[in-house]
Amino acid sequence: MDKLNERNVFEMMEYRSDAGFSALSQIEAYWEALRGSRQMPKRSEIDPRGIESALEFTFVLERIAIGMARLRIAGSHLNNLMGMEVRGMPLTSFITPNGRREMGDMLEEVFQRPSVCELRLSAEVGRNKPAMDARMLLLPLKSDLGDVSRVLGCFVARGEMGNQPRRFDVVGT
């Protein structure tokens, strides 16, 4: 891994072999490089220049309650999936009602343990809503106060967009 430079910017050259989901590898590699030998990096260390090729898929969450987190920053891909600006919305807005409890449980794992979580998702299919596969990566971050109340995330959905909003079922973690 590259050493941290004075601007917290890294070149990310390794990508997952899954075609279409390379942004997840870029975000994870960036997080790992910042983390070094620590359990996790701080939110203040995140520099968008280090992940610029994956910014459209990237988001930052803030924990607001048990099992709930809202989007503080969200890339354009997330806005496109919902057909609107998603900043300020809960992450569970992207999940079907039946999967929201599971998503809340996953968020608590990330915040409380803390742990890294990757979810496999499948979009609801309906009229003018074709099948889509998606992956979401959740990486814990420390706040400047030292608590784990932020998450660096990546959400990539593949397939034809169709009508928005698009919501997803959790099919694996």
Side-chain angles (χ1 to χ4, degrees):
M1 272 188 219
D2 295 335
K3 291 197 176 211
L4 182 67
N5 66 27
E6 64 276 357
R7 293 184 315 229
N8 293 338
V9 178
F10 298 91
E11 294 285 315
M12 297 294 117
M13 300 304 285
E14 273 188 54
Y15 304 111
R16 289 176 199 253
S17 59
D18 281 337
F21 293 113
S22 65
L24 277 82
S25 292
Q26 293 173 47
I27 298 301
E28 186 174 28
Y30 179 74
W31 183 85
E32 287 287 350
L34 284 178
R35 178 175 82 98
S37 62
R38 301 174 294 166
Q39 191 174 21
M40 73 197 77
K42 289 183 178 180
R43 162 61 185 104
S44 60
E45 294 176 279
I46 304 299
D47 185 335
R49 294 173 295 184
I51 51 176
E52 63 188 319
S53 63
L55 280 178
E56 68 182 290
F57 306 104
T58 305
F59 59 90
V60 174
L61 296 175
E62 175 185 32
R63 185 175 190 222
I64 56 174
I66 294 172
M68 291 195 68
R70 71 180 170 130
L71 293 153
R72 299 268 305 181
I73 298 171
S76 61
H77 182 68
L78 283 80
N79 294 329
N80 293 340
L81 288 169
M82 293 300 279
M84 68 181 85
E85 173 66 47
V86 297
R87 196 175 17 169
M89 294 174 64
L91 182 64
T92 53
S93 299
F94 290 93
I95 307 300
T96 59
N98 291 339
R100 289 178 182 169
R101 181 176 175 92
E102 184 176 3
M103 174 57 87
D105 292 344
M106 291 299 126
L107 283 169
E108 277 309 295
E109 283 284 314
V110 173
F111 286 121
Q112 292 296 321
R113 283 191 92 183
S115 62
V116 170
C117 180
E118 184 175 338
L119 300 107
R120 291 185 314 282
L121 308 162
S122 180
E124 283 183 305
V125 177
R127 184 176 177 181
N128 295 319
K129 291 188 176 188
M132 293 181 84
D133 293 321
R135 300 250 175 100
M136 183 183 294
L137 181 64
L138 303 171
L139 304 161
L141 298 170
K142 281 191 177 180
S143 75
D144 289 335
L145 301 174
D147 62 331
V148 183
S149 60
R150 303 288 190 275
V151 163
L152 174 64
C154 185
F155 186 18
V156 179
R158 297 185 310 182
E160 188 180 330
M161 185 68 67
N163 290 345
Q164 299 105 332
R166 297 306 307 264
R167 291 197 170 78
F168 296 80
D169 292 312
V170 178
V171 296
T173 57

